[in-house]
Amino acid sequence: MTKWVYSFSAERAEGHGEMKSLLGGKGANLHEMASLHLPVPPGFTITTEVCTYFYANGKTYPPDLAAQVNEAVAEVERQTGRGFGDAGNPLLLSVRSGARASMPGMMDTVLNLGLNDASVESLAKSSGDERFAYDSYRRFIQMYSNVVLDVDSHNFEDILEEYKNSKGHTLDTDLTAADWRSVIVEYKAKVAEAIGKPFPQDPRDQLWGAIGAVFSSWMNQRANTYRRLNSIPAEWGTAVNVQAMVFGNMGETSATGVAFTRNPSTGANDLYGEFLVNAQGEDVVAGIRTPQNITEAARKAAGSDRPSLETLMPEVFKQFAATTKLLEKHYRDMQDLEFTVERGKLWMLQTRNGKRTARAALRVAVEMANDGMITREEAITRVEPSALDQLLHPTLDPKAKPAPIATGLPASPGAASGEIVFSADEAAALRQAGRKSILVRVETSPEDIHGMHAAEGVVTTRGGMTSHAAVVARGMGKPCVSGAGAIRIDYAAQTMTASGITLKKGDILTIDGGAGQVMQGAVPMVKPEMTGDFLTLMGWADAIRRMKVRANAETATDARVARSFGAEGIGLCRTEHMFFEGERIVAVREMILADTEQGRRAALAKLLPMQRKDFAELFEIMTGLPVTIRLLDPPLHEFLPQTDEEIDEVAKAMGVSADKLRARSAELHEVNPMLGFRGVRLAIRYPEIAEMQARAIFEGAVEAGRKTGAPVTAEIMVPLVLGRPELDSVKAIIVAMAETVARETGVTVPYHVGTMIELPRAALRAGDIAKSAEFFSFGTNDLTQTTLGVSRDDAASFLGIYTVKGLLPSDPFVTIDAEGVGELVKIASERGRATRPDIKLGICGEHGGDPASITFCESVHLDYVSCSPFRIPIARLAAAQAALGRKAYSTA
Ligand code: PEP
Ligand code: MG
């Protein structure tokens, strides 16, 4: 018999923390806390296998599930001394989802289950608080109807609003028990009208309805979106956790809250959290009321005059603080906890490894390693490489920062500017149009997730550090200011007002998520600085990784940034990128469009001094490190003059008529330029181009060597070869030029000639090519394009659907297609090494900065990866994790 249901209580637990696949994250951790005898309300977990069964069998359950659930309910009855469906002494339950990976707020929850017309009376009696009992019942009717019966919440909100208006009340708290009773009558009538039968009164019917709704919510639209954005497979399924209710809303000695064992924004080792007196858990997460601080220290730091849990409930606080320490030590990681206090008794509802910003992830990892709680190797795996991106992004220039028009909580760090939008859909629309937006909302809900993703940053006027907006933004690495209460939003007028200034949709707003500030207009930003924990962790990563990390860079600015980020050389200098600007592009066009060798040489003579100077500068910046310069590889369509103005300009420079030039340009037009006259083909047809470039490289190296006193090793790379003959033909030009420059200058520059492997044929012919090539650099952009037969310029319109439909595991231009392109890389590496055992192998396609692809590179033992400067720290960390053979730990 399959075990579908696992029970837990502070007495015993049938599962444990390692059973996340089966019990989901929340379930596994509840079992783990229970096995530590922490105060967990008794309950049981229905496994993710039931979810799988549910979807495989037309939304039905395994036949023996009901019996197992009944048995588990009976156990909860025994533990609590209450009866499920016992009107006199009712057991009330919560029903929550819990997948293997946390998906905050994406799936459904039902609380107060088991309440009906009869048991509400008992609850009123036993709690001694009629208001509380009826309030709970109406909450239950609303939640259950919304989640299970598909009766939208706004129906109930409207009834309540109307009722309050009719009585002249403004707040829910103005309502008496009698008021709630009347509201409940209306609620039930609304349900009956909507579904054609009465609101279910039998607790067992309620329970199965809720279980079905939670399983069904695994496939709701927002859960699907969240899974797609976070690469969570749909096959995982969710578990369902059913637990005895505990009430944080039983008056002033009750409370509910959320806490982190360390600060999730900064990583500081201080208990950090928020709570609300007399409230249910959902109230804190939804951000409807602004919560209070847990510790005195945090209260003082926030300048709040509302008491902390520490002063309000000192005994509970002590027990809670000790529990948080115990859990952190037990899990050896920062925990994110939910708790409830019911009439002075603490209950732990959840613990999990806390989501955190990259800054916090670094600090927590480094401090835990320094404290001996984890090893350095573990610390390295505790930071998601791509999360470092958050730290590499600009912050506001403090010198130029204007006074904020509003302040809120620093919910997620980073700075961003954009046009004000008031809805998620508008943010998505602007993003589509290539425009930047700041999403401004009273509060956000899971329905807004696509807009949060599309916006540059998020501002909410309500909610705390653990509100939906804050948690989701932090996970996405998006700047967020939450609870900026001084902002008034008028959705109807599409305006926001703060500090007497009214801004409308489309006006520019800047936010500083690290400071919790909102500024009018665009504010200048400054580059990030890498210090402290960042350098420490990078140092540990560098000590462990095997692969070198180089930069794709061609300008002096990029090269300097790359070095400051720790680049160990340049892996790809795309020389055509050095010609994009000003008079240079004219000279390049002149060279391309010349129809005689003489004309071309005239243009090349103009380019030579520019190239020499550029190369000398790069060599100088990279003193002591290898610099790989690639010979010209211009897809012609990027360089041909397009407008009449451009044609006139080139015609003038060449001394020919515009018409003649237009005709020549038309002649060079290609149907398929990415597979056209580019790469080595250019040097084959016009050897004088390679000649000029080789001269510029060697002369630049001589110049840099003279200046720095250190010899330069130049690596000259030939792009897009099909096989050895092309390489040999160009290599001969390079070798001859090396001799010429040595003769002319009296300086012999050490150099290597290698090639890019970017065509399947080149990968297959690698054994032969290696006879001439001293190094290979895998150009996986082109190799992906040519292996998959997918144009890198046109893929966007159709490739997305492949990943959505699961036909490809991920975008092959982002993460290397290990099965296809990767196989060619492997073959080429093996064949290259067989010919030349010391051949140097690297990668310089975009994949060189992608953590998953870097893991692949380690598996085929490449010597280095090369990526854009801002991804260098990411690559250093990913290379270390790859060397450790461990996958990054997800903390974002
Ligand atoms: C490549 O093809 O992977 C490469 C690095 O070259 P480019 O992107 O310049 O074609
Ligand atoms: Mg290429």
Side-chain angles (χ1 to χ4, degrees), residues 404-407 420-422 440-442 459-462 483-505 507-509 518-520:
I405 56 167
T407 54
I420 296 169
V421 294
F422 295 105
V440 182
R441 305 274 306 158
V442 173
V459 179
T460 69
T461 61
R462 277 212 291 245
I487 299 179
R488 290 274 160 267
I489 299 177
D490 184 337
Y491 285 131
Q494 295 278 285
T495 59
M496 58 170 271
T497 307
S499 304
I501 300 166
T502 297
L503 300 173
K504 52 185 192 317
K505 186 173 105 174
D507 288 347
I508 302 292
L509 201 66
V518 180
M519 271 91 22
Q520 182 181 8

Side-chain angles (χ1 to χ4, degrees), residues 572 574 630 633 678 756 758 779-782 792 844-845:
L572 173 64
R574 290 178 164 104
R630 178 175 78 182
D633 176 14
R678 58 179 288 229
M756 294 194 66
E758 15 184 20
T780 44
N781 302 332
D782 276 312
R792 51 196 267 203
C844 64

